[in-house]
Amino acid sequence: FVRSLYAEYLESQMSLADYLPEKISSASQKLVDCLLQDGKILICGNGASSANALHFSTALIHQYKVERPALPVIVLSHDCTVLSTSANIGEYAHVFSRQIQALGSDKDLLLILTTNGDSNSLIHAVDTARERGMEIIVLNGHHGGALSNHLGPRDLEIQVAIPHAARIRETHLFILHCF
């Protein structure tokens, strides 16, 4: 079973090698441009995508491969009081958009992680980020879901076109390490 998982993982990664590098490079440049303009990166995702977001923020705040200053990043899915309040008052669909209203500016960039692109909370986050004049990068999954159809021409989507959520999350983590 484990060998078959290795084979599935390697096969999925090789299938992405032809089209992901250019998109990863473009997204990386957007991130660098944001930081050079004294902007910050706001990042969000639900469930396990939130864990990848937290991992990425740790790499930005602390050194990853080389010693460097800490970089400004805020994980919008990390504040348990905001999350529980949003759920308690029945407004989870706005959990990220409310934080973007409070923290986001036109110098900032919103980075979204999702395996299926069908979460209303992420769609509302895109709307609010767009209203604030923010750049938007989405690491998405197989078909992109409703979120893919909601993105504008300035937004950059990196769609991991494989059907398994675990392989998508692994690839998102690889992409985050490339960033």
Side-chain angles (χ1 to χ4, degrees), residues 46-59:
N46 292 302
S49 292
S50 176
N52 275 355
L54 194 56
H55 177 79
F56 181 60
S57 72
T58 301

Side-chain angles (χ1 to χ4, degrees), residues 44 46 82-83 85-100 118-128:
C44 62
N46 292 302
V82 170
L83 296 174
T85 299
S86 296
N88 189 46
I89 63 175
E91 291 188 3
Y92 189 80
H94 297 281
V95 67
F96 303 130
S97 62
R98 296 285 292 177
Q99 293 177 80
I100 293 167
D118 285 327
S119 173
N120 285 333
S121 63
L122 301 177
I123 291 170
H124 289 299
V126 165
D127 290 340
T128 304

Side-chain angles (χ1 to χ4, degrees), residues 81-117:
T81 57
V82 170
L83 296 174
S84 63
T85 299
S86 296
N88 189 46
I89 63 175
E91 291 188 3
Y92 189 80
H94 297 281
V95 67
F96 303 130
S97 62
R98 296 285 292 177
Q99 293 177 80
I100 293 167
Q101 287 173 348
L103 303 169
S105 79
D106 59 359
K107 289 183 176 183
D108 300 334
L109 183 143
L110 176 64
L111 176 59
I112 293 177
L113 283 71
T114 177
T115 57
N116 62 28

Side-chain angles (χ1 to χ4, degrees), residues 53-68:
L54 194 56
H55 177 79
F56 181 60
S57 72
T58 301
L60 291 182
I61 292 171
H62 298 283
Q63 66 182 15
Y64 173 60
K65 285 188 158 193
V66 296
E67 182 64 35
R68 57 154 171 73

Side-chain angles (χ1 to χ4, degrees), residues 3-4 9 19 35 43 52-54 57 64 72 77 88 97 109 128 147 152 155 158:
R3 282 185 185 278
S4 71
Y9 172 76
Y19 78 92
L35 295 170
I43 182 170
N52 275 355
L54 194 56
S57 72
Y64 173 60
S77 54
N88 189 46
S97 62
L109 183 143
T128 304
L147 188 59
D155 305 330
I158 301 176

